[in-house]
Amino acid sequence: MCEIAYQQCIHADCGATFDIGQPLFGCPKCGNLLDVGYHWDKVAVPKSLDAFNRRWTTPGRSVEARADFSGVWRFRELLPFAKVDEIATIGEGRTILQQADQIAKQIGMKSGRLFLQYEGFNPTGSFKDNGMTAAFTIARKLDRTRVACASTGNTSAAMSVYAAHSGDSGKPMQAIVFVGEGKIAFGKLAQALDYGALTLQIAGDFDACMKRAVECAEKLDVYLMNSLNPFRLEGQKTIMFRILEGLDWQVPDWIIVPGGNLGNSSAFGKAFEELKTLGLIPRIPRIAIINAAGANTLDHAWNQKKMRWNEGKFDSKGICEYFDELDASNNKAKTIASAIEIGRPVNLAKGLRTLDVMNGVVRTVTDEEILAFKAMIGRYGYGCEPASAASLAGLHQLRNEGMIGPDDKVACVLTGHSLKDPDATVNYHMKGSGQQVGSPPNQPVQIADDFEAIKTAIN
Ligand code: F0G
């Protein structure tokens, strides 16, 4: 179907390849995860990354102009599985790297060294749009009519909006979302409902939803849009391309990202590995993946159980057994950062690969730290939802350890917009002071409707 791209099992003992025309969510031979691979010799990849700069200025309504407008598809030679007229885009990925000197100062970093990649500026307010445009491009290519995902909210919001737009191209798709009852912030639930998705609230958490979504993809004519679908991750690679772009194509020292289902982390490692192989970057930055304390399966797997990528010969049986152990002890994820309240990250093996490729570290931060650093991100003019702030809380921890120095160039990925979960924000600011780190609550002042009282409060 496509001469350039193929799907490939990531396990070194298997490595089976499949046509991209096959709708697959795991290797049919051994059950491990799949990658999208490319015959790079057949792709017109630019000789240097700055060749992408010119795409910012393409005028008009042509298919090329629409692709160039997208912060995903202006890098299309680096995810070459679709032709330009096959791309399903709503103008996602127009996010930029922000230099955050005020925050840098607060956590003991030098000016010009801390950057925030603010993915909340996407059409649905989270990084998920980067992946969904890629997944919808392939879904449309494969003539799929029903798409489904399990979600803590952002995936479902993104999937629903692309499904709602799919009718524009004459190939409408029905969105089916699985969300855990009471497990999803209202800002996100509102989006799925508004965009017309069939929203199935099941009595269970994200991990339970994930199992049902996979079951439906296997047994019904439904196309899975979670990150088990390897095309999703191709779109999410571009978050790293934009970080490089924002640094004039210089490689930073560290990327810091919250870890939930580990789709982002997986995509980031793949992005850098490919850029290095293509000779487009001289070195690969390090990564810190940050778990929330109530959902730190990766931390446990990496730091305690010492699970490793092992040159592709990772212990897939060990991963299954570990998840079975968690199930047997009724271990459920629990954190205020509902977006990353995930106990069985489906991309764990790819996460291990990223940690290997990017010489990574994994850390855990508490809910209190997440909220206090979320307040700091807001205080200095950015804003994000709780899960996103795990990145800054993690940076703070790594600064304290001395793992990251004041001179290191660091990019934290802010994965979702602050309006996704206003309850978390308001509750934090209402509660009064007491926390040790981050920014203190900014309590509203109850005041009489009286000028003298107001004057006293202002002065
Ligand atoms: N941050 C936000 C705002 C998210 O929505 C998610 C995941 C993550 C971080 C974690 O990213 O899974 O790639 O490690 N949200 C998914 C969802 C699970 O359903 O919206 P990850």
CSV table of all heavy atoms in Angstrom, one decimal, residues 4 38 40 43-46 52 54-56 58 62-87 89 137 234-235 237-238 241 274:
chain,number,residue,atom,x,y,z
A,4,ILE,N,7.0,3.5,1.4
A,4,ILE,CA,7.9,4.1,2.3
A,4,ILE,C,7.8,3.6,3.7
A,4,ILE,O,8.8,3.4,4.4
A,4,ILE,CB,7.7,5.6,2.2
A,4,ILE,CG1,8.2,6.1,0.8
A,4,ILE,CG2,8.5,6.3,3.3
A,4,ILE,CD1,7.9,7.6,0.6
A,38,TYR,N,10.3,3.4,8.5
A,38,TYR,CA,10.4,4.0,7.2
A,38,TYR,C,11.6,3.5,6.4
A,38,TYR,O,12.7,3.3,7.0
A,38,TYR,CB,10.4,5.5,7.3
A,38,TYR,CG,9.3,6.1,8.1
A,38,TYR,CD1,9.4,6.5,9.4
A,38,TYR,CD2,8.0,6.3,7.5
A,38,TYR,CE1,8.3,7.0,10.1
A,38,TYR,CE2,6.9,6.8,8.2
A,38,TYR,CZ,7.1,7.1,9.5
A,38,TYR,OH,6.0,7.6,10.2
A,40,TRP,N,14.0,5.1,4.8
A,40,TRP,CA,14.4,6.5,4.7
A,40,TRP,C,15.1,6.9,3.4
A,40,TRP,O,15.1,8.0,2.9
A,40,TRP,CB,15.3,6.9,5.9
A,40,TRP,CG,14.6,6.9,7.2
A,40,TRP,CD1,14.8,6.1,8.2
A,40,TRP,CD2,13.6,7.9,7.6
A,40,TRP,NE1,14.0,6.4,9.3
A,40,TRP,CE2,13.2,7.5,9.0
A,40,TRP,CE3,13.0,9.0,7.1
A,40,TRP,CZ2,12.3,8.2,9.7
A,40,TRP,CZ3,12.1,9.7,7.8
A,40,TRP,CH2,11.7,9.3,9.1
A,43,VAL,N,12.9,8.6,1.1
A,43,VAL,CA,12.2,9.9,1.5
A,43,VAL,C,13.1,11.1,1.2
A,43,VAL,O,14.3,11.0,1.5
A,43,VAL,CB,11.9,9.8,3.0
A,43,VAL,CG1,11.1,11.0,3.5
A,43,VAL,CG2,11.2,8.5,3.4
A,44,ALA,N,12.5,12.1,0.7
A,44,ALA,CA,13.2,13.4,0.5
A,44,ALA,C,13.4,14.1,1.8
A,44,ALA,O,12.8,15.2,2.0
A,44,ALA,CB,12.5,14.2,-0.6
A,45,VAL,N,14.2,13.6,2.7
A,45,VAL,CA,14.4,14.3,4.0
A,45,VAL,C,15.4,15.5,3.8
A,45,VAL,O,16.4,15.3,3.1
A,45,VAL,CB,15.0,13.3,5.0
A,45,VAL,CG1,15.2,14.0,6.4
A,45,VAL,CG2,14.1,12.1,5.2
A,46,PRO,N,15.0,16.7,4.3
A,46,PRO,CA,16.0,17.8,4.1
A,46,PRO,C,17.3,17.5,4.7
A,46,PRO,O,17.4,16.7,5.7
A,46,PRO,CB,15.3,18.9,4.9
A,46,PRO,CG,13.9,18.5,5.0
A,46,PRO,CD,13.8,17.0,5.0
A,52,PHE,N,13.1,23.4,7.4
A,52,PHE,CA,11.7,23.5,7.7
A,52,PHE,C,11.2,24.9,8.0
A,52,PHE,O,10.0,25.1,8.0
A,52,PHE,CB,11.4,22.5,8.9
A,52,PHE,CG,11.5,21.1,8.6
A,52,PHE,CD1,12.5,20.3,9.1
A,52,PHE,CD2,10.5,20.5,7.7
A,52,PHE,CE1,12.6,18.9,8.8
A,52,PHE,CE2,10.6,19.1,7.4
A,52,PHE,CZ,11.6,18.4,8.0
A,54,ARG,N,11.1,27.6,6.3
A,54,ARG,CA,10.3,28.3,5.3
A,54,ARG,C,8.9,28.0,5.3
A,54,ARG,O,8.0,28.7,4.8
A,54,ARG,CB,11.0,28.0,3.9
A,54,ARG,CG,10.8,26.6,3.5
A,54,ARG,CD,11.5,26.3,2.2
A,54,ARG,NE,11.6,24.9,2.0
A,54,ARG,CZ,10.6,24.1,1.6
A,54,ARG,NH1,9.4,24.6,1.3
A,54,ARG,NH2,10.7,22.8,1.5
A,55,ARG,N,8.5,26.8,5.9
A,55,ARG,CA,7.1,26.4,5.9
A,55,ARG,C,6.2,27.3,6.7
A,55,ARG,O,4.9,27.3,6.5
A,55,ARG,CB,7.0,25.0,6.4
A,55,ARG,CG,7.6,24.0,5.4
A,55,ARG,CD,6.7,22.8,5.1
A,55,ARG,NE,7.2,22.1,3.9
A,55,ARG,CZ,7.7,20.8,4.0
A,55,ARG,NH1,7.7,20.2,5.1
A,55,ARG,NH2,8.0,20.2,2.9
A,56,TRP,N,6.7,28.1,7.6
A,56,TRP,CA,5.9,29.0,8.4
A,56,TRP,C,5.2,30.1,7.5
A,56,TRP,O,4.2,30.7,8.0
A,56,TRP,CB,6.8,29.8,9.4
A,56,TRP,CG,7.1,29.0,10.6
A,56,TRP,CD1,8.1,28.3,10.9
A,56,TRP,CD2,6.2,29.0,11.8
A,56,TRP,NE1,8.0,27.7,12.1
A,56,TRP,CE2,6.9,28.1,12.7
A,56,TRP,CE3,5.0,29.6,12.1
A,56,TRP,CZ2,6.3,27.9,14.0
A,56,TRP,CZ3,4.5,29.3,13.4
A,56,TRP,CH2,5.1,28.4,14.3
A,58,THR,N,4.0,29.8,4.2
A,58,THR,CA,3.2,29.4,3.0
A,58,THR,C,1.8,30.0,3.0
A,58,THR,O,1.1,29.7,3.9
A,58,THR,CB,3.1,27.8,2.9
A,58,THR,OG1,4.3,27.3,3.3
A,58,THR,CG2,2.6,27.4,1.6
A,62,SER,N,-4.2,25.9,-0.4
A,62,SER,CA,-3.8,24.7,-1.1
A,62,SER,C,-3.6,23.6,0.0
A,62,SER,O,-3.4,23.9,1.2
A,62,SER,CB,-2.5,24.9,-1.8
A,62,SER,OG,-1.5,25.1,-0.9
A,63,VAL,N,-3.5,22.3,-0.4
A,63,VAL,CA,-3.3,21.2,0.6
A,63,VAL,C,-1.9,21.4,1.2
A,63,VAL,O,-1.7,21.2,2.4
A,63,VAL,CB,-3.4,19.8,0.0
A,63,VAL,CG1,-4.9,19.4,-0.2
A,63,VAL,CG2,-2.6,19.6,-1.3
A,64,GLU,N,-1.0,21.9,0.4
A,64,GLU,CA,0.4,22.2,1.0
A,64,GLU,C,0.3,23.3,2.0
A,64,GLU,O,0.9,23.1,3.1
A,64,GLU,CB,1.4,22.6,-0.1
A,64,GLU,CG,1.9,21.5,-1.0
A,64,GLU,CD,0.8,21.1,-2.1
A,64,GLU,OE1,-0.1,21.9,-2.3
A,64,GLU,OE2,1.0,20.1,-2.7
A,65,ALA,N,-0.4,24.3,1.8
A,65,ALA,CA,-0.5,25.4,2.7
A,65,ALA,C,-1.2,24.9,4.0
A,65,ALA,O,-0.8,25.3,5.1
A,65,ALA,CB,-1.3,26.6,2.1
A,66,ARG,N,-2.2,24.1,3.9
A,66,ARG,CA,-2.9,23.6,5.1
A,66,ARG,C,-1.9,22.7,5.9
A,66,ARG,O,-1.9,22.8,7.1
A,66,ARG,CB,-4.1,22.8,4.7
A,66,ARG,CG,-5.4,23.7,4.6
A,66,ARG,CD,-6.6,22.9,4.0
A,66,ARG,NE,-7.0,21.8,4.9
A,66,ARG,CZ,-7.8,22.0,6.0
A,66,ARG,NH1,-8.1,23.3,6.4
A,66,ARG,NH2,-8.2,21.0,6.8
A,67,ALA,N,-1.2,21.9,5.2
A,67,ALA,CA,-0.2,21.0,5.9
A,67,ALA,C,0.9,21.9,6.5
A,67,ALA,O,1.3,21.6,7.7
A,67,ALA,CB,0.4,20.0,4.9
A,68,ASP,N,1.3,22.9,5.8
A,68,ASP,CA,2.4,23.7,6.4
A,68,ASP,C,1.9,24.5,7.6
A,68,ASP,O,2.7,24.8,8.5
A,68,ASP,CB,2.9,24.7,5.3
A,68,ASP,CG,3.7,24.0,4.2
A,68,ASP,OD1,3.9,22.8,4.4
A,68,ASP,OD2,4.2,24.7,3.3
A,69,PHE,N,0.6,24.9,7.6
A,69,PHE,CA,0.1,25.6,8.8
A,69,PHE,C,0.1,24.7,10.0
A,69,PHE,O,0.3,25.2,11.2
A,69,PHE,CB,-1.4,26.0,8.5
A,69,PHE,CG,-2.0,26.8,9.5
A,69,PHE,CD1,-1.8,28.1,9.6
A,69,PHE,CD2,-2.9,26.2,10.5
A,69,PHE,CE1,-2.5,28.9,10.6
A,69,PHE,CE2,-3.5,26.9,11.5
A,69,PHE,CZ,-3.3,28.3,11.6
A,70,SER,N,0.0,23.4,9.9
A,70,SER,CA,0.0,22.5,11.0
A,70,SER,C,1.4,22.3,11.5
A,70,SER,O,2.4,22.1,10.8
A,70,SER,CB,-0.5,21.1,10.6
A,70,SER,OG,-0.1,20.1,11.5
A,71,GLY,N,1.6,22.4,12.9
A,71,GLY,CA,2.9,22.2,13.5
A,71,GLY,C,3.3,20.8,13.5
A,71,GLY,O,4.4,20.4,13.9
A,72,VAL,N,2.4,19.9,13.1
A,72,VAL,CA,2.7,18.5,12.9
A,72,VAL,C,3.2,18.3,11.5
A,72,VAL,O,4.3,17.8,11.3
A,72,VAL,CB,1.5,17.6,13.2
A,72,VAL,CG1,1.8,16.1,12.8
A,72,VAL,CG2,1.1,17.7,14.7
A,73,TRP,N,2.4,18.7,10.5
A,73,TRP,CA,2.7,18.3,9.1
A,73,TRP,C,3.7,19.2,8.4
A,73,TRP,O,4.1,18.9,7.3
A,73,TRP,CB,1.4,18.2,8.4
A,73,TRP,CG,0.5,17.2,9.0
A,73,TRP,CD1,-0.6,17.4,9.7
A,73,TRP,CD2,0.7,15.7,8.9
A,73,TRP,NE1,-1.1,16.2,10.2
A,73,TRP,CE2,-0.4,15.2,9.6
A,73,TRP,CE3,1.6,14.9,8.3
A,73,TRP,CZ2,-0.5,13.8,9.8
A,73,TRP,CZ3,1.5,13.6,8.4
A,73,TRP,CH2,0.4,13.0,9.1
A,74,ARG,N,4.1,20.3,9.0
A,74,ARG,CA,5.2,21.0,8.4
A,74,ARG,C,6.5,20.2,8.5
A,74,ARG,O,7.4,20.5,7.8
A,74,ARG,CB,5.3,22.5,8.9
A,74,ARG,CG,5.9,22.7,10.2
A,74,ARG,CD,6.2,24.2,10.5
A,74,ARG,NE,6.7,24.4,11.8
A,74,ARG,CZ,5.9,24.7,12.9
A,74,ARG,NH1,4.6,24.7,12.7
A,74,ARG,NH2,6.5,24.9,14.0
A,75,PHE,N,6.4,19.2,9.3
A,75,PHE,CA,7.6,18.3,9.4
A,75,PHE,C,7.3,17.0,8.7
A,75,PHE,O,7.8,15.9,9.1
A,75,PHE,CB,7.9,18.0,10.9
A,75,PHE,CG,8.2,19.2,11.7
A,75,PHE,CD1,7.4,19.7,12.6
A,75,PHE,CD2,9.5,19.9,11.5
A,75,PHE,CE1,7.7,20.9,13.3
A,75,PHE,CE2,9.8,21.0,12.2
A,75,PHE,CZ,8.9,21.5,13.1
A,76,ARG,N,6.4,17.0,7.7
A,76,ARG,CA,5.9,15.7,7.1
A,76,ARG,C,6.9,14.8,6.6
A,76,ARG,O,6.7,13.6,6.6
A,76,ARG,CB,4.8,16.0,6.1
A,76,ARG,CG,5.2,17.0,4.9
A,76,ARG,CD,3.9,17.3,4.2
A,76,ARG,NE,4.1,18.3,3.2
A,76,ARG,CZ,4.0,19.7,3.4
A,76,ARG,NH1,3.8,20.1,4.7
A,76,ARG,NH2,4.2,20.5,2.5
A,77,GLU,N,8.1,15.3,6.2
A,77,GLU,CA,9.1,14.3,5.7
A,77,GLU,C,9.7,13.5,6.8
A,77,GLU,O,10.3,12.5,6.6
A,77,GLU,CB,10.3,15.1,5.1
A,77,GLU,CG,10.0,15.7,3.7
A,77,GLU,CD,9.3,17.0,3.8
A,77,GLU,OE1,9.0,17.5,5.0
A,77,GLU,OE2,9.0,17.6,2.8
A,78,LEU,N,9.4,13.8,8.1
A,78,LEU,CA,9.9,13.0,9.2
A,78,LEU,C,8.8,12.1,9.8
A,78,LEU,O,9.0,11.4,10.7
A,78,LEU,CB,10.4,14.0,10.3
A,78,LEU,CG,11.5,14.9,9.9
A,78,LEU,CD1,11.9,15.9,11.0
A,78,LEU,CD2,12.8,14.0,9.5
A,79,LEU,N,7.6,12.1,9.1
A,79,LEU,CA,6.5,11.1,9.4
A,79,LEU,C,5.8,10.8,8.1
A,79,LEU,O,4.6,11.0,8.0
A,79,LEU,CB,5.6,11.6,10.5
A,79,LEU,CG,4.9,12.9,10.5
A,79,LEU,CD1,3.5,12.8,11.2
A,79,LEU,CD2,5.7,14.0,11.1
A,80,PRO,N,6.6,10.2,7.2
A,80,PRO,CA,6.1,10.1,5.8
A,80,PRO,C,5.3,8.9,5.5
A,80,PRO,O,5.7,8.1,4.7
A,80,PRO,CB,7.5,10.1,5.0
A,80,PRO,CG,8.4,9.4,5.9
A,80,PRO,CD,8.0,9.8,7.3
A,81,PHE,N,4.1,8.8,6.2
A,81,PHE,CA,3.3,7.6,5.9
A,81,PHE,C,2.1,8.0,5.1
A,81,PHE,O,1.2,7.2,4.8
A,81,PHE,CB,2.9,6.9,7.2
A,81,PHE,CG,2.0,7.7,8.1
A,81,PHE,CD1,0.7,7.8,7.9
A,81,PHE,CD2,2.6,8.4,9.1
A,81,PHE,CE1,-0.1,8.6,8.8
A,81,PHE,CE2,1.8,9.2,10.0
A,81,PHE,CZ,0.5,9.3,9.8
A,82,ALA,N,1.9,9.3,4.8
A,82,ALA,CA,0.7,9.8,4.0
A,82,ALA,C,1.1,10.8,3.0
A,82,ALA,O,2.1,11.5,3.2
A,82,ALA,CB,-0.3,10.3,5.0
A,83,LYS,N,0.3,10.9,1.9
A,83,LYS,CA,0.6,11.9,0.9
A,83,LYS,C,0.0,13.2,1.5
A,83,LYS,O,-1.0,13.2,2.3
A,83,LYS,CB,-0.1,11.6,-0.4
A,83,LYS,CG,0.5,10.3,-1.0
A,83,LYS,CD,0.1,10.2,-2.5
A,83,LYS,CE,0.5,8.8,-3.1
A,83,LYS,NZ,-0.6,7.8,-2.7
A,84,VAL,N,0.4,14.3,0.9
A,84,VAL,CA,0.0,15.6,1.5
A,84,VAL,C,-1.5,15.8,1.4
A,84,VAL,O,-2.2,16.4,2.2
A,84,VAL,CB,0.8,16.8,0.9
A,84,VAL,CG1,0.5,17.0,-0.6
A,84,VAL,CG2,0.6,18.1,1.7
A,85,ASP,N,-2.1,15.3,0.3
A,85,ASP,CA,-3.6,15.5,0.2
A,85,ASP,C,-4.4,14.4,1.0
A,85,ASP,O,-5.6,14.4,0.9
A,85,ASP,CB,-4.0,15.4,-1.3
A,85,ASP,CG,-3.5,14.1,-2.0
A,85,ASP,OD1,-2.9,13.3,-1.3
A,85,ASP,OD2,-3.9,13.9,-3.2
A,86,GLU,N,-3.7,13.6,1.7
A,86,GLU,CA,-4.4,12.6,2.6
A,86,GLU,C,-4.5,13.1,4.0
A,86,GLU,O,-5.1,12.5,4.9
A,86,GLU,CB,-3.7,11.3,2.5
A,86,GLU,CG,-3.8,10.6,1.2
A,86,GLU,CD,-2.9,9.3,1.1
A,86,GLU,OE1,-1.8,9.3,1.8
A,86,GLU,OE2,-3.2,8.4,0.4
A,87,ILE,N,-3.8,14.2,4.3
A,87,ILE,CA,-3.6,14.6,5.7
A,87,ILE,C,-4.9,15.1,6.3
A,87,ILE,O,-5.6,16.0,5.7
A,87,ILE,CB,-2.5,15.7,5.8
A,87,ILE,CG1,-1.2,15.0,5.5
A,87,ILE,CG2,-2.6,16.5,7.1
A,87,ILE,CD1,0.0,16.0,5.3
A,89,THR,N,-6.1,17.4,9.0
A,89,THR,CA,-5.6,18.4,9.9
A,89,THR,C,-6.7,19.4,10.3
A,89,THR,O,-7.5,19.8,9.5
A,89,THR,CB,-4.4,19.2,9.3
A,89,THR,OG1,-4.0,20.2,10.2
A,89,THR,CG2,-4.7,19.7,7.9
A,137,THR,N,-5.5,10.6,10.0
A,137,THR,CA,-5.0,10.5,8.6
A,137,THR,C,-4.9,9.1,8.2
A,137,THR,O,-5.4,8.7,7.1
A,137,THR,CB,-3.6,11.2,8.5
A,137,THR,OG1,-3.7,12.6,8.8
A,137,THR,CG2,-2.9,11.0,7.2
A,234,GLU,N,3.6,8.9,15.9
A,234,GLU,CA,4.3,9.6,14.8
A,234,GLU,C,4.0,11.1,14.9
A,234,GLU,O,4.8,12.0,14.8
A,234,GLU,CB,3.9,9.0,13.5
A,234,GLU,CG,4.4,7.6,13.3
A,234,GLU,CD,5.9,7.6,13.5
A,234,GLU,OE1,6.7,8.1,12.7
A,234,GLU,OE2,6.4,7.0,14.5
A,235,GLY,N,2.7,11.4,15.2
A,235,GLY,CA,2.3,12.9,15.3
A,235,GLY,C,3.0,13.5,16.5
A,235,GLY,O,3.4,14.7,16.5
A,237,LYS,N,5.8,12.9,17.8
A,237,LYS,CA,7.2,13.2,17.7
A,237,LYS,C,7.5,14.6,17.4
A,237,LYS,O,8.5,15.2,17.8
A,237,LYS,CB,7.8,12.4,16.5
A,237,LYS,CG,7.9,10.9,16.6
A,237,LYS,CD,8.7,10.2,15.4
A,237,LYS,CE,8.3,10.6,14.0
A,237,LYS,NZ,8.8,9.8,13.0
A,238,THR,N,6.5,15.3,16.8
A,238,THR,CA,6.7,16.7,16.3
A,238,THR,C,6.8,17.6,17.5
A,238,THR,O,7.3,18.8,17.3
A,238,THR,CB,5.6,17.1,15.4
A,238,THR,OG1,4.4,17.2,16.0
A,238,THR,CG2,5.5,16.2,14.1
A,241,PHE,N,10.3,18.1,17.6
A,241,PHE,CA,10.8,18.9,16.5
A,241,PHE,C,10.6,20.4,16.8
A,241,PHE,O,11.4,21.3,16.5
A,241,PHE,CB,10.1,18.6,15.2
A,241,PHE,CG,10.2,17.1,14.8
A,241,PHE,CD1,9.3,16.5,14.0
A,241,PHE,CD2,11.3,16.3,15.4
A,241,PHE,CE1,9.4,15.1,13.7
A,241,PHE,CE2,11.4,14.9,15.0
A,241,PHE,CZ,10.4,14.4,14.2
A,274,GLU,N,15.5,8.8,15.5
A,274,GLU,CA,15.5,8.9,14.1
A,274,GLU,C,16.3,10.1,13.6
A,274,GLU,O,17.0,10.1,12.6
A,274,GLU,CB,14.0,9.1,13.6
A,274,GLU,CG,13.3,7.7,13.7
A,274,GLU,CD,11.8,7.8,13.4
A,274,GLU,OE1,11.2,8.9,13.3
A,274,GLU,OE2,11.1,6.8,13.4
